[in-house]
Amino acid sequence: MTPRDQSGRGRWQIHIVFVLIATTLISAVSATSGYLVPALAVPTKDALGVSAAFIGYQVTLVFGIGGLSSMIAGGMVGRFGPCRVLQAGLAVSSVGCILYTSANPFIVTAGSILIGLCYGMSHPASSVLLSRFGSPERMNFLFSFRQSSTALGAVIAGLLGPVIATLLTWQAAFQGLAGFSLLLAIAMNRLRPYWDDQADPRTPISAPWAGLRLIIRNRKLLTLCLTGFCLSVVQVGVLAFLVLFVVEDVGFTLTQGGFALSLINILAVGSRIFWGWQADRTPNSLAVVAAMGGVTTLAVLVFSAAGPEWSQWLVYGTMSVLGLATFGWSGIVIANVVKRADQGKIAETMGGTLGFFFSGALVGPSLGSLILQLTGSFSYVFMFLAVTAFVATIMAGFVALRND
């Protein structure tokens, strides 16, 4: 007898509101551990006596390993259940955060790897829960709300991390998050009878590339994932070069640049929820993604023209448009992937989908840095991001016109 069949028992554990809030919280905790690494880069660098490049490699490790772990975790959900996979991710994050506080650079690197493993594990498992307990007509909102956890984690890390580091130590921020992650993992054990009732220990663990194979064989899924890849390139590229651009070319102070980054992340939280809600009210939700891609293309081009002669309000206004348009796509794309995926292979398909997204997160800053190094101009970097956004617009429009 499943929790759904038990009269009056376990209903709040499987109610979609509780499932949505719980999965969003878990994903936000995982994201916070990843974003604490760049947020506390300066005190970490000073304490370890390493170069800024070393910290940059740790950030790359976190997000690179995150992409691999999402594909690995997707193949584990069927055997162990989504709740157990989420618990394992939080436990791994807890250990990673403790290791990251070490004075040994090699142990710090091991901590980065574990934090990256956690960062990628939460999404395939939570996607299974949302698709199982949520109603089909609310999928865009549900996944967009859950995806807001990424931006929320960045905001928490950016605001609370430096405060804790100033009042206590930078290690205390990681240690506090490690303790909270472990307590949350233990508390979740009571949810296993309700969330993992369909887990089957006889289910074989799929290969990490199983999700990629499912996607490549389906042209619409592949086009959706390539759309997400391109939009991820733009999203992370904007975040990577925003502060540098407004400080070096626009004339902002470092404090103003930090405020600009916080502003765009806060707007990203709201935009994902709003656009997800709007997509559910639109007959063709991918038309919303195509529209966001078009607005992003224009906003990036306009923002690239900013200079010292621009008023601060004009700069902040343009950044607000970027924040509202550039970050709202992920939940809608994921909902459309889930809609078109084999319902018995959602975890594996989501693992492969996130592999595309994380790859975009690595390609955006990497290619942008190369372009900046070769040209010495942020204009070419933003041109690259605008062209990428336009390609995503075309692909989203292609699938939207052939909406099934």
Side-chain angles (χ1 to χ4, degrees):
M1 182 178 291
T2 68
R4 277 188 185 278
D5 300 324
Q6 298 176 31
S7 177
R9 184 184 174 192
R11 290 182 177 176
W12 65 269
Q13 289 94 340
I14 61 173
H15 193 284
I16 188 56
V17 173
F18 173 76
V19 174
L20 178 60
I21 293 173
T23 53
T24 302
L25 171 63
I26 295 163
S27 297
V29 172
S30 301
T32 302
S33 65
Y35 281 104
L36 268 182
V37 175
L40 298 178
V42 174
T44 306
K45 176 179 72 70
D46 294 341
L48 295 176
V50 295
S51 66
F54 175 83
I55 303 300
Y57 291 136
Q58 305 311 304
V59 176
T60 303
L61 262 180
V62 167
F63 292 102
I65 295 295
L68 292 175
S69 70
S70 67
M71 293 188 286
I72 295 170
M76 300 171 65
V77 173
R79 172 177 288 191
F80 300 106
C83 187
R84 183 61 89 203
V85 172
L86 290 171
Q87 286 179 291
L90 289 170
V92 167
S93 173
S94 181
V95 176
C97 286
I98 293 298
L99 292 181
Y100 198 83
T101 62
S102 170
N104 186 314
F106 293 103
I107 297 178
V108 168
T109 301
S112 297
I113 293 172
L114 293 182
I115 290 172
L117 283 173
C118 161
Y119 190 55
M121 289 176 71
S122 63
H123 294 294
S126 60
S127 295
V128 170
L129 292 170
L130 292 177
S131 63
R132 178 185 175 191
F133 298 123
S135 57
E137 64 271 15
R138 295 288 178 267
M139 282 294 113
N140 291 294
F141 173 78
L142 294 176
F143 281 99
S144 294
F145 192 99
R146 195 280 311 276
Q147 285 299 107
S148 69
S149 62
T150 303
L152 182 60
V155 172
I156 293 172
L159 294 180
L160 291 185
V163 172
I164 295 173
T166 300
L167 296 178
L168 300 171
T169 63
W170 68 269
Q171 292 95 333
F174 282 98
Q175 292 162 354
L177 185 60
F180 183 79
S181 298
L182 189 58
L183 290 174
L184 185 57
I186 294 171
M188 286 176 60
N189 210 51
R190 297 184 62 183
L191 298 174
R192 285 208 70 217
Y194 308 98
W195 288 6
D196 289 353
D197 56 300
Q198 295 183 344
D200 185 353
R202 296 169 298 180
T203 301
I205 298 177
S206 304
W209 54 83
L212 292 175
R213 190 162 49 200
L214 291 170
I215 291 167
I216 292 171
R217 289 175 177 175
N218 186 315
R219 187 166 65 175
K220 286 186 178 179
L221 286 181
L222 179 59
T223 306
L224 281 171
C225 289
L226 289 174
T227 301
F229 168 82
C230 289
L231 291 173
S232 184
V233 167
V234 178
Q235 175 182 309
V236 181
V238 168
L239 290 176
F241 297 103
L242 177 72
V243 175
L244 281 172
F245 175 65
V246 296
V247 170
E248 294 186 9
D249 280 22
V250 182
F252 275 30
T253 65
L254 187 58
T255 302
Q256 290 171 325
F259 174 77
L261 187 60
S262 298
L263 171 66
I264 207 167
N265 274 309
I266 291 170
L267 288 170
V269 175
S271 72
R272 286 175 176 172
I273 297 172
F274 170 78
W275 287 117
W277 170 78
Q278 187 62 41
D280 281 330
R281 296 164 58 88
T282 304
N284 193 328
S285 59
L286 284 174
V288 177
V289 177
M292 281 190 287
V295 174
T296 297
T297 302
L298 295 175
V300 169
L301 289 174
V302 171
F303 186 62
S304 68
E309 69 279 3
W310 282 35
S311 69
Q312 287 189 11
W313 290 112
L314 183 56
V315 177
Y316 285 129
T318 307
M319 282 192 297
S320 297
V321 175
L322 269 177
L324 292 171
T326 309
F327 297 85
W329 59 271
S330 58
I332 305 173
V333 172
I334 288 173
N336 276 275
V337 168
V338 169
K339 171 186 172 184
R340 291 166 171 81
D342 180 344
Q343 294 305 294
K345 297 288 185 180
I346 289 177
E348 291 91 335
T349 307
M350 278 310 308
T353 300
L354 290 165
F356 279 88
F357 291 5
F358 276 105
S359 297
L362 291 175
V363 169
S366 301
L367 273 183
S369 296
L370 179 61
I371 293 170
L372 184 61
Q373 185 177 6
L374 293 175
T375 65
S377 172
F378 285 102
S379 297
Y380 291 101
V381 175
F382 286 117
M383 180 64 70
F384 155 67
L385 296 177
V387 170
T388 306
F390 182 72
V391 171
T393 303
I394 298 299
M395 289 192 291
F398 174 82
V399 182
L401 289 173
R402 290 160 176 76
N403 192 33
D404 41 281

